[in-house]
Amino acid sequence: MKKIFIDKSLTFFILLIVITSVFLYFSYDFSITTYNRIENKQNNKNIENFLYLLDNEYKNLSSIKEESKNNIKNECLRFFDDCSINFENKTEVFTYIENFTIINELNYLNIKNNFLFHIQTKTYQELTKEAKNSIKIFSLIVIIILTLTILISITFQKQLNKVNEELEEKVFDRTNQYNHTIKELEKVNLKLYDLAHTDYLTQIKNRRSFFLHTSALFKKVQKSKGILSIIMIDIDNFKSINDTYGHEIGDKILKVFANSIKEILYKDEIFGRLGGEEFAIALPHTNLEEAFKIAENIRKRIERIVINIPSSKLFITASFGVSDSINTHSIDEIIKNADLMLYDAKRKGKNRVRSRLP
């Protein structure tokens, strides 16, 4: 892009030089023609005045006396730069320019049309020489000014390119800073997202996040005419454990409990803490019978958990309610059915899995 810009600038300068040169040439030619015309006009006027003077003095003479020759020449030199008089040869009458000199060949006749003498006058074109010198000087000045203008423009162009490069570097640095800031903001946003969607204690999905993800999963399953199962889990006697051993032990149980379940779940299965000691698992493409078996395996795994407390060991159990998406219209309906099965498990002795299966 810079190269194109520079090429365009050079093209403009070259075009400017050509136009200026053409202008100077035509100015020179016009000036010379004008000065030649002025000098010719002035020369004709001089001839007219000189002839008028001769007519007054010699028109009535039949011949020119010797003493008059110098007078005629002197009179001629008043009007012309050089004069030569010939009293013998009669030549043609004409005017021409030779070596920047206007030459007039004149035959002077008396009133009876008898030849008296021939005069050759010379007028040096000093005005034209001066004009040429003036035009040359003017042209030289214009060329110098044009050259200086081009040099200044090129220098300015270089400075402009330098400023542009510095500006581009600053823009590049600012862009890098901006991109770095964006990346940092993205990291912060991810952290904020995790904070907003992750349970601070167990580091699994919180209630809000669980419902958002399972609702989207339910719609996806509906479109593909698949099936989705939900397992509701509640730790047995958790309030009593909290009251007996304190919240620190209670928090430890929640962490160990969540980690134990998280370790055996697949990536596409959603696990979240709905509140307190209540948890839920969403199992896509899993029917009710398969979900029941998964819940049973988890129940047995939880039975083997041992919580070390001062001077003793603590064992925990959990109750499970399982439901699927058959004949349901929302994720809330599936969770409600699973919750009913969970309460049924609680009523029937806890530490068991209940579903609508016989």
Side-chain angles (χ1 to χ4, degrees):
M1 185 174 180
K2 287 182 183 177
K3 187 176 183 301
I4 293 173
F5 181 73
I6 292 171
D7 288 345
K8 286 184 177 179
S9 299
L10 291 175
T11 303
F12 169 77
F13 289 135
I14 292 171
L15 184 61
L16 182 63
I17 292 171
V18 171
I19 292 173
T20 305
S21 300
V22 172
F23 169 76
L24 291 174
Y25 171 77
F26 282 109
S27 298
Y28 176 82
D29 183 68
F30 175 77
S31 300
I32 294 300
T33 302
T34 301
Y35 284 126
N36 282 333
R37 187 170 62 252
I38 291 172
E39 289 193 340
N40 287 330
K41 184 177 180 181
Q42 182 64 42
N43 181 68
N44 292 334
K45 185 177 179 181
N46 289 341
I47 293 172
E48 182 181 347
N49 291 334
F50 177 58
L51 290 177
Y52 177 78
L53 181 65
L54 292 179
D55 287 343
N56 289 335
E57 295 288 335
Y58 306 104
K59 195 69 174 175
N60 295 317
L61 298 179
S62 58
S63 63
I64 300 298
K65 297 178 180 180
E66 188 67 30
E67 62 267 18
S68 299
K69 293 182 180 179
N70 288 332
N71 292 335
I72 295 171
K73 186 172 183 179
N74 291 333
E75 292 294 339
C76 181
L77 290 174
R78 288 172 55 193
F79 297 95
F80 306 100
D81 295 320
D82 189 18
C83 294
S84 60
I85 302 174
N86 185 353
F87 293 92
E88 297 177 359
N89 300 323
K90 181 179 178 181
T91 61
E92 295 294 331
V93 178
F94 58 92
T95 299
Y96 58 93
I97 296 175
E98 182 180 284
N99 297 327
F100 300 104
T101 303
I102 301 175
I103 299 174
N104 299 291
E105 300 285 348
L106 301 174
N107 291 323
Y108 187 74
L109 308 176
N110 62 12
I111 195 169
K112 295 179 180 180
N113 288 328
N114 296 321
F115 174 79
L116 294 180
F117 53 85
H118 175 80
I119 299 177
Q120 184 187 66
T121 67
K122 293 182 180 180
T123 303
Y124 301 118
Q125 293 181 288
E126 294 179 359
L127 186 61
T128 303
K129 291 178 182 178
E130 292 176 2
K132 287 181 179 180
N133 291 333
S134 299
I135 292 173
K136 287 177 182 178
I137 293 171
F138 171 75
S139 301
L140 182 61
I141 292 172
V142 170
I143 291 171
I144 290 172
I145 293 174
L146 185 63
T147 303
L148 290 175
T149 303
I150 293 172
L151 290 175
I152 292 170
S153 300
I154 292 173
T155 303
F156 176 76
Q157 181 68 47
K158 289 180 180 179
Q159 291 295 325
L160 182 62
N161 289 338
K162 185 178 179 181
V163 171
N164 285 337
E165 288 175 359
E166 291 176 354
L167 183 61
E168 285 178 0
E169 288 178 2
K170 289 181 180 179
V171 170
F172 180 76
D173 292 339
R174 290 290 177 88
T175 302
N176 286 339
Q177 292 177 4
Y178 175 77
N179 290 335
H180 178 72
T181 303
I182 291 295
K183 288 179 181 178
E184 291 299 318
L185 286 174
E186 287 175 353
K187 290 179 182 179
V188 171
N189 286 335
L190 287 174
K191 289 180 180 178
L192 290 174
Y193 181 87
D194 289 340
L195 288 173
H197 291 80
T198 303
D199 179 65
Y200 75 97
L201 183 65
T202 59
Q203 295 301 301
I204 61 174
K205 286 180 173 55
N206 59 20
R207 182 184 183 89
R208 179 174 178 272
S209 180
F210 179 82
F211 274 92
L212 283 173
H213 284 81
T214 51
S215 295
L217 184 60
F218 177 73
K219 291 178 182 178
K220 186 177 179 181
V221 167
Q222 272 190 322
K223 286 182 181 179
S224 63
K225 295 183 180 180
I227 190 168
L228 172 69
S229 292
I230 296 290
I231 301 175
M232 293 292 292
I233 312 169
D234 189 87
I235 300 175
D236 295 331
N237 307 313
F238 185 75
K239 187 176 182 304
S240 176
I241 293 171
N242 249 348
D243 293 341
T244 303
Y245 300 100
H247 289 289
E248 186 177 347
I249 298 298
D251 289 347
K252 185 177 180 180
I253 290 171
L254 290 172
K255 290 179 184 178
V256 173
F257 178 85
N259 287 333
S260 179
I261 296 174
K262 189 164 55 174
E263 288 174 355
I264 63 172
L265 294 179
Y266 292 107
K267 188 176 180 180
D268 60 340
E269 296 172 341
I270 302 171
F271 180 37
R273 182 186 177 193
L274 303 188
E277 69 275 21
E278 191 174 45
F279 296 80
I281 304 171
L283 306 170
H285 313 295
T286 305
N287 59 35
L288 189 61
E289 185 177 355
E290 291 170 341
F292 188 93
K293 291 178 181 179
I294 292 171
E296 185 62 30
N297 289 335
I298 293 172
R299 186 190 68 79
K300 291 176 180 179
R301 182 181 179 87
I302 291 170
E303 277 185 328
R304 296 193 294 271
I305 295 175
V306 179
I307 307 296
N308 292 315
I309 58 175
S311 69
S312 66
K313 293 182 179 181
L314 184 63
F315 296 91
I316 59 173
T317 61
S319 299
F320 297 77
V322 184
S323 182
D324 60 11
S325 57
I326 295 176
N327 298 324
T328 59
H329 301 90
S330 67
I331 193 67
D332 292 332
E333 192 175 349
I334 305 173
I335 290 175
K336 181 181 178 181
N337 292 337
D339 210 31
L340 291 173
M341 294 295 102
L342 174 61
Y343 283 118
D344 186 56
K346 290 282 188 181
R347 285 195 302 270
K348 292 185 177 179
K350 303 177 182 178
N351 192 24
R352 64 188 65 213
V353 180
R354 295 289 297 154
S355 73
R356 59 181 173 78
L357 293 173

